[in-house]
Each structure stands twice: as C-alpha cells, then as structure tokens.
Amino acid sequence: MDRMFRVLSFWTGIFAVMFYLGHMHVTSLIFLAQTGFFLLLSYLKLTERMYIYIFGAYLTIFFAGFTYWTTFMMVPGAGE
C-alpha cells in the first residue's frame, strides 16, 4: 500500500510540472504540496487499514473543497 502512495506522489508531481509549464502557478504549488504529502506518507510504514483511512479522509476533504469551489466561487459563463 505504501507503493501506491508513491505512485500517487509521482502522478501529482507530473501534474505539478504540467500546471507550472501551463503558467498555472498556484495550482502547481497545490499539486506540489500534495506530492510531498503523499511521498511523506509512503515512507511511514503504516498499516494498510491506516493508509485506506488517510486516503478516504483525503478524498472527503477534496470533494468537499471542490464542491464548495464549483458552487460558490466559480462564475457561471466565465469560460465563454
């Protein structure tokens, strides 16, 4: 299970680089922080159950934040 968090850190690192190259610096820093978080967790040698709990908490926080952002912060029709 710790290797899957290394895989997550790899992909969030790739996304951070791509966002940086796309001149989206704030998003790049967010993904860089996630990369560090996942990489740190992967070396803690926790139990599989604890890794699942942490990932579930991460998804809950992400979906709550994403729902808040898309509902209250995005301006309808701004991408047109």
Side-chain angles (χ1 to χ4, degrees):
M1 195 66 183
D2 55 344
R3 290 184 183 181
M4 287 312 298
F5 274 84
R6 288 188 200 120
V7 170
L8 281 171
S9 70
F10 170 78
W11 284 112
T12 54
I14 294 295
F15 273 77
V17 169
M18 292 299 175
F19 281 129
Y20 181 76
L21 293 175
H23 305 290
M24 300 174 72
H25 301 293
V26 175
T27 309
S28 175
L29 288 175
I30 290 171
F31 272 81
L32 190 63
Q34 289 181 9
T35 300
F37 173 70
F38 287 140
L39 196 61
L40 174 77
L41 280 176
S42 71
Y43 287 106
L44 287 181
K45 299 292 184 189
L46 300 173
T47 63
E48 187 169 347
R49 179 178 288 188
M50 194 64 201
Y51 279 123
I52 295 295
Y53 286 156
I54 291 172
F55 187 67
Y58 166 77
L59 287 180
T60 302
I61 292 169
F62 169 78
F63 285 132
F66 183 76
T67 303
Y68 174 81
W69 180 265
T70 55
T71 304
F72 300 112
M73 303 299 284
M74 288 183 71
V75 178
E80 295 176 8

